[in-house]
Amino acid sequence: MRVSPLTLHRLSVYLRCLRQMEEAGVHRVSSQELADRFDLSATQIRKDLAQFGEFGIRGVGYDVARLTEGLHRLLGLDQQHRLAVVGMGSLGSALARHLGPDGTFAVVAGLDNDPRKVGTRLAHLEVRHSSELPAVVRETGATIGVLTVPADAAQVNYEALVVAGIRAVLNFAPARLKPNRAVPVKDVDFRINLEELVYFLK
Amino acid sequence: MRVSPLTLHRLSVYLRCLRQMEEAGVHRVSSQELADRFDLSATQIRKDLAQFGEFGIRGVGYDVARLTEGLHRLLGLDQQHRLAVVGMGSLGSALARHLGPDGTFAVVAGLDNDPRKVGTRLAHLEVRHSSELPAVVRETGATIGVLTVPADAAQVNYEALVVAGIRAVLNFAPARLKPNRAVPVKDVDFRINLEELVYFLK
């Protein structure tokens, strides 16, 4: 079954909320409680979850641990995904430190084209030269590329990731990429988010 | 005129594309060229821009510099917006270095509740204690708060930002906030983006 991008996004949000409930020691929750606590729609929650089978019991609600595990598996988060970060500036370095080797998302490679950075160690990684990308992807089994390069270097590095066999890309560069149909891109563009907030301030 | 969040997002994307065209030395562009180059819809571009007046000339296209400036003004980016970053870990520090004092978005304050960080200097800032937030907001004129705290500290720090008079919040914490209607939140949650990419990999 294919799930639409909007549904997928909502499922990720529910998972986040459920993890917060779990950490708070909550074992059982109704769609209405979830909706109230996290500013969501109870009807939408029920509809989204119903299409994947019977997670909840009417009048009793959802078992938090069971639903968390179900969503985890559904979203493919029960296995580790390996990330190669291209651009080891302050943001790339912060990501490498943040996503350690033991998580669902593990940064397994950091690359840069600055010879002063190549060979330096950062957290659990040794920075490699961008020209080594195909070998690094082969060695590490990275499937997701992360672009933390300047805007004018984003497209060429995206294409290098495609050639190296990376299957999906998270783009932090403030650039609009022209994507290859086979290798989807998600933009994490907080400047665009800031611009949207500013409009509200007017 | 109120613009819908989706339109707003697209206008920010167009602005990004136009800046890339400008940097590449392009002076004039048609909606079709923009669409082809950046994987957008030409019809949507024409429709979105038409509602703000006559930016383009039929058969001639848009003047890149003029349209860039128009969107800039429309989005409220012709003035500076001041940001207070709460949580000076690796991500908060990277943002403070990245958004210097001269840009449209300037980080003017960095706060943390770790006494070892308070008083240290980072780029153009001195880290202040989180308890000083109301005074810091008053002194610096910050209007946008940026949350780079751990998930379990996100809600309480969001509420502190609201009390301190911040008017909009960019949330990097992997937590779903229950927002105050008067102080909108934008989530920059790259884990959710990663989860969406993973589903595609299955």
Side-chain angles (χ1 to χ4, degrees):
Chain A
M1 176 169 59
R2 289 315 290 176
V3 178
S4 81
L6 279 175
T7 305
L8 206 51
H9 184 84
R10 287 195 303 268
L11 294 178
S12 287
V13 170
Y14 301 158
L15 184 56
R16 165 106 343 133
C17 297
L18 288 162
R19 283 193 193 122
Q20 283 172 253
M21 300 298 267
E22 231 179 354
E23 273 165 34
V26 177
H27 296 299
R28 194 164 282 284
V29 70
S30 70
S31 50
Q32 194 58 54
E33 284 162 346
L34 262 182
D36 290 345
R37 168 141 180 198
F38 297 105
D39 205 33
L40 304 165
S41 150
T43 314
Q44 184 78 66
I45 293 173
R46 284 193 296 271
K47 203 175 130 200
D48 285 336
L49 295 180
Q51 62 180 308
F52 304 106
E54 285 311 312
F55 280 121
I57 301 166
R58 184 180 291 272
V60 176
Y62 301 104
D63 179 302
V64 173
R66 202 171 139 250
L67 181 53
T68 303
E69 201 209 314
L71 283 177
H72 219 247
R73 209 173 37 237
L74 183 72
L75 293 167
L77 303 176
D78 49 348
Q79 56 188 92
Q80 191 177 60
H81 300 280
R82 297 172 177 210
L83 277 52
V85 176
V86 181
M88 294 299 279
S90 53
L91 183 59
S93 305
L95 285 173
R97 273 189 293 261
H98 188 63
L99 301 171
D102 302 322
T104 302
F105 296 106
V107 173
V108 294
L111 302 102
D112 205 288
N113 64 2
D114 180 345
R116 287 166 302 180
K117 285 183 187 154
V118 174
T120 60
R121 291 203 69 83
L122 189 121
H124 55 296
L125 299 176
E126 186 187 327
V127 177
R128 306 277 296 270
H129 195 278
S130 306
S131 62
E132 294 181 84
L133 185 62
V136 170
V137 169
R138 222 165 31 235
E139 287 163 23
T140 59
T143 52
I144 298 177
V146 179
L147 284 175
T148 44
V149 296
D152 59 2
Q155 185 69 36
V156 60
N157 278 291
Y158 168 72
E159 285 162 16
L161 285 166
V162 173
V163 169
I166 283 290
R167 295 182 50 215
V169 170
L170 191 66
N171 175 38
F172 283 85
R176 173 89 188 172
L177 299 176
K178 186 161 174 70
N180 178 307
R181 295 279 166 216
V183 182
V185 175
K186 281 272 169 195
D187 291 313
V188 186
D189 194 333
F190 59 85
R191 276 184 186 266
I192 285 190
N193 296 127
L194 280 171
E195 288 170 14
E196 291 171 29
L197 284 175
V198 160
Y199 188 83
F200 175 89
L201 296 185
K202 287 216 296 188
Chain B
M1 174 170 61
R2 291 314 291 176
V3 178
S4 81
L6 278 174
T7 306
L8 205 52
H9 184 84
R10 286 195 302 268
L11 294 178
S12 286
V13 170
Y14 301 158
L15 183 56
R16 166 106 343 134
C17 297
L18 288 162
R19 284 195 193 120
Q20 284 173 251
M21 300 298 268
E22 232 179 355
E23 273 164 36
V26 177
H27 297 297
R28 196 165 279 285
V29 70
S30 70
S31 51
Q32 193 59 56
E33 284 162 346
L34 262 182
D36 290 346
R37 169 142 177 199
F38 296 105
D39 204 33
L40 303 165
S41 150
T43 313
Q44 184 78 66
I45 293 172
R46 284 192 296 271
K47 202 175 131 201
D48 285 336
L49 295 180
Q51 61 180 307
F52 304 105
E54 286 311 312
F55 281 120
I57 301 165
R58 184 180 291 271
V60 176
Y62 301 103
D63 179 302
V64 173
R66 203 171 138 251
L67 181 53
T68 302
E69 202 209 315
L71 283 176
H72 219 248
R73 210 174 35 239
L74 181 74
L75 293 168
L77 303 175
D78 50 349
Q79 56 187 94
Q80 192 178 59
H81 301 279
R82 295 170 178 213
L83 277 52
V85 175
V86 182
M88 294 300 277
S90 53
L91 183 59
S93 305
L95 284 172
R97 274 189 292 262
H98 188 62
L99 300 173
D102 302 321
T104 302
F105 296 106
V107 173
V108 294
L111 301 102
D112 205 289
N113 64 3
D114 180 345
R116 286 165 304 182
K117 284 182 188 154
V118 174
T120 60
R121 290 203 70 83
L122 188 122
H124 57 297
L125 299 176
E126 186 187 328
V127 177
R128 304 278 295 270
H129 194 278
S130 306
S131 62
E132 294 181 84
L133 185 62
V136 170
V137 169
R138 223 165 29 236
E139 287 164 24
T140 59
T143 53
I144 299 177
V146 180
L147 284 175
T148 44
V149 295
D152 59 3
Q155 185 68 37
V156 61
N157 278 291
Y158 168 71
E159 285 162 16
L161 285 165
V162 172
V163 169
I166 283 290
R167 294 180 53 214
V169 170
L170 191 66
N171 174 40
F172 284 86
R176 173 89 189 172
L177 299 176
K178 186 163 173 65
N180 178 305
R181 295 278 167 218
V183 182
V185 175
K186 281 272 170 195
D187 292 313
V188 186
D189 194 334
F190 58 83
R191 275 183 187 267
I192 285 190
N193 296 127
L194 279 171
E195 289 170 13
E196 291 171 31
L197 283 175
V198 160
Y199 189 83
F200 176 88
L201 296 184
K202 288 214 297 187

